[in-house]
Amino acid sequence: MSDEKRKPTPEEKAAAAAEARAKAEALRKLREQEAQASQETNQVEPSQEPQEEVSAPVAKPVSEMTPEEKAAAKKAAAAEAIAKVKAAKEAKEAAEAEPPVAEQQSEAVATPAKPVSEMTPEEKAAAKKAAAAEAIAKAKAAKEQAEAASTPVKPVSEMTPEEKAAAKKAAAAEALAKAKAAKEAKEAAENGADTADTAPDADAKAKAAAAAKAKAAAAAAAKAKAAREAGGDESGDDDAKAKAAAAAKAKAAAAAAAKAKAAQVTGDEAPAEEAPKAPSKNQPYLDKYVSRISEAFGQEVIEASYINEMAKEVPTLTIQNERWHQVAQFLRDDEQLSFEYLSDLHGVDYDDRLEVYYHFYSYKNRQSLAVKVKTSREESKVASVMDLWHGANWNERETFDLLGIHFPGHKDLRRILLPDDWVGYPLRKDYVQYDEEV
């Protein structure tokens, strides 16, 4: 009889049944071991997320492991959980680093289809509204993105010093990014308003003012948030606080500039011209002096007349050199003028000419007058008034001593400060010292 037709013996049947029972028992034990291992893993890391199902069976049951093997298994499970969290964080950062698609689409849509000069008033208004909406959308997206990125993984109190420093840097970078986004949104809105219409109407001005107020409020809110975030660290790092303060200061300056620009846009078209200056209180006196001298000697004797604002608004005249002595005597003897007191006399070098400057005062009329008389550098001479005002004696000698101006008619014209053999006149601008050892 062949082997295929031969029936198994009772012994063979018993052996096959025993083998099947052994396989079933081994499969049951293997399932129990897997369930127990899964339970032990959940007990080791209760705070972590549920782990993925392990496809490969464990090498041996947990109940048969030594304490060292159990500790190693716990460490491996914890390391695997940390690696998963780190991978999820890196994926999130990579997604945030990519530019938002909506922002790119809004930039592409914001491009005008035709030049502004060819737009109708309705198209200009629509362009302005679109630019404003785009700026608001950009600011909102930047704010949401920054808030999402700034969410801490764990509380500050549980962070290590390295993690705290990294959180500070991230907060400072976020504040700078917010300021930059606000600035770009502001510039985009302003450029859109400028290109859409160079002469905004009252409605556009009101909208610009409202937008400026909204920007200022947003800047203030961002400043407060940055201050809160910077102050969240209990260690109080000076460097991070300084950066946050600098960022807040920059935001405040930007808000102030935007507010000033908005006020300029909403204000008048152009400031009123400066009002003409009121005439000097001494102008009537100057007119009086000019009138009296012109009547006596003619208008040509007065080379110039003005109010000297640099010297207490004193009426000032420039008199011809050749007629000076006659005019000086008239200033003293005329009843309406009566300048009986000479308070000062000095010379001045103006490179191209020399001048003698006189100050007179009338006790009778309680009025002042200044007179200038010009002379050349080569033949410098001005008629002496020592015979009219004796106080001119020493003043004319000093002017002669230091500037070399001669005063014909002076009774004792000689040096008063320097020796008679001194070479040159020290107050002249072209003076060269004769003796280098002096």
Side-chain angles (χ1 to χ4, degrees):
M1 181 180 293
S2 63
D3 294 336
E4 295 178 356
K5 294 182 179 180
R6 185 179 63 84
K7 295 182 178 178
T9 61
E11 292 80 8
E12 293 175 345
K13 290 182 178 179
E19 183 178 358
R21 286 195 297 272
K23 288 182 178 181
E25 183 65 16
L27 181 61
R28 182 182 65 80
K29 289 182 178 181
L30 180 61
R31 290 179 178 176
E32 290 178 357
Q33 291 173 359
E34 291 177 355
Q36 188 174 3
S38 176
Q39 183 177 2
E40 289 290 334
T41 304
N42 292 335
Q43 292 177 357
V44 171
E45 292 293 329
S47 62
Q48 302 294 334
E49 297 180 357
Q51 305 294 320
E52 296 180 356
E53 184 178 358
V54 181
S55 59
V58 294
K60 61 168 121 179
V62 179
S63 59
E64 299 178 4
M65 290 183 180
T66 63
E68 292 77 8
E69 292 175 342
K70 289 182 180 181
K74 288 182 180 181
K75 290 181 179 179
E80 180 182 359
I82 293 173
K84 287 184 178 181
V85 173
K86 185 177 180 181
K89 182 179 179 181
E90 292 177 352
K92 177 182 177 183
E93 292 177 351
E96 291 174 349
E98 297 180 357
V101 179
E103 182 177 351
Q104 297 177 356
Q105 292 177 354
S106 63
E107 292 179 355
V109 173
T111 304
K114 58 182 177 179
V116 180
S117 59
E118 299 178 3
M119 288 184 180
T120 62
E122 293 77 8
E123 291 175 342
K124 290 181 180 180
K128 288 164 68 175
K129 290 182 180 180
E134 178 186 355
I136 294 172
K138 284 185 179 181
K140 185 176 180 181
K143 182 178 179 181
E144 292 177 353
Q145 182 178 357
E147 289 178 354
S150 63
T151 304
V153 178
K154 58 183 177 180
V156 178
S157 58
E158 300 178 4
M159 290 183 179
T160 62
E162 293 78 9
E163 292 175 342
K164 289 180 179 180
K168 287 182 182 179
K169 292 182 179 179
E174 178 187 354
L176 294 176
K178 287 181 180 179
K180 185 176 180 181
K183 182 179 180 182
E184 292 176 353
K186 170 191 166 188
E187 291 177 352
E190 291 175 352
N191 292 336
D194 292 340
T195 56
D197 190 2
T198 57
D201 54 3
D203 188 19
K205 289 181 180 179
K207 290 181 180 179
K213 289 182 180 179
K215 289 178 185 176
K223 178 180 177 182
K225 184 175 180 181
R228 289 196 302 271
E229 291 173 354
D233 187 8
E234 296 177 358
S235 63
D237 192 287
D238 295 337
D239 189 17
K241 289 183 178 179
K243 290 181 179 179
K249 187 176 181 180
K251 289 180 183 177
K259 185 176 180 181
K261 189 165 185 179
Q264 183 178 2
V265 171
T266 56
D268 297 335
E269 293 295 332
E273 295 183 357
E274 186 176 356
K277 183 179 290 187
S280 172
K281 62 181 180 180
N282 293 331
Q283 186 64 41
Y285 302 140
L286 178 62
D287 297 339
K288 171 187 173 182
Y289 306 153
V290 171
S291 175
R292 293 294 298 160
I293 295 173
S294 299
E295 291 177 1
F297 303 97
Q299 296 182 354
E300 65 278 1
V301 76
I302 301 177
E303 296 180 354
S305 62
Y306 58 93
I307 297 293
N308 191 346
E309 297 181 355
M310 302 295 293
K312 299 181 180 179
E313 299 186 1
V314 176
T316 305
L317 301 175
T318 302
I319 304 298
Q320 286 183 349
N321 189 310
E322 298 78 6
R323 310 289 297 276
W324 164 234
H325 192 273
Q326 300 175 17
V327 175
Q329 187 172 0
F330 180 78
L331 292 175
R332 187 195 67 174
D333 297 339
D334 184 72
E335 294 182 357
Q336 297 186 28
L337 301 178
S338 298
F339 288 105
E340 67 273 12
Y341 177 59
L342 174 63
S343 61
D344 187 24
L345 182 162
H346 62 270
V348 183
D349 185 358
Y350 286 102
D351 287 328
D352 61 333
R353 69 187 186 280
L354 300 176
E355 289 185 1
V356 180
Y357 203 70
Y358 302 87
H359 286 269
F360 299 103
Y361 184 76
S362 172
Y363 286 100
K364 176 183 177 180
N365 301 321
R366 298 187 180 276
Q367 298 172 9
S368 298
L369 172 65
V371 176
K372 292 183 178 181
V373 180
K374 301 178 182 178
T375 182
S376 64
R377 298 177 62 88
E378 294 75 15
E379 296 182 3
S380 55
K381 58 181 180 179
V382 176
S384 174
V385 293
M386 177 183 171
D387 57 329
L388 301 176
W389 296 278
H390 295 291
N393 181 9
W394 283 11
N395 297 76
E396 289 181 352
R397 287 181 58 184
E398 179 184 15
T399 304
F400 164 74
D401 190 5
L402 301 179
L403 282 167
I405 300 177
H406 294 264
F407 293 92
H410 195 285
K411 297 180 180 180
D412 187 20
L413 189 63
R414 54 188 173 87
R415 291 187 183 271
I416 191 173
L417 299 175
L418 301 174
D420 294 336
D421 59 350
W422 188 271
V423 179
Y425 307 101
L427 290 188
R428 285 203 180 191
K429 294 183 178 179
D430 58 356
Y431 171 71
V432 177
Q433 186 169 308
Y434 178 73
D435 190 354
E436 296 295 339
E437 296 181 0
V438 177

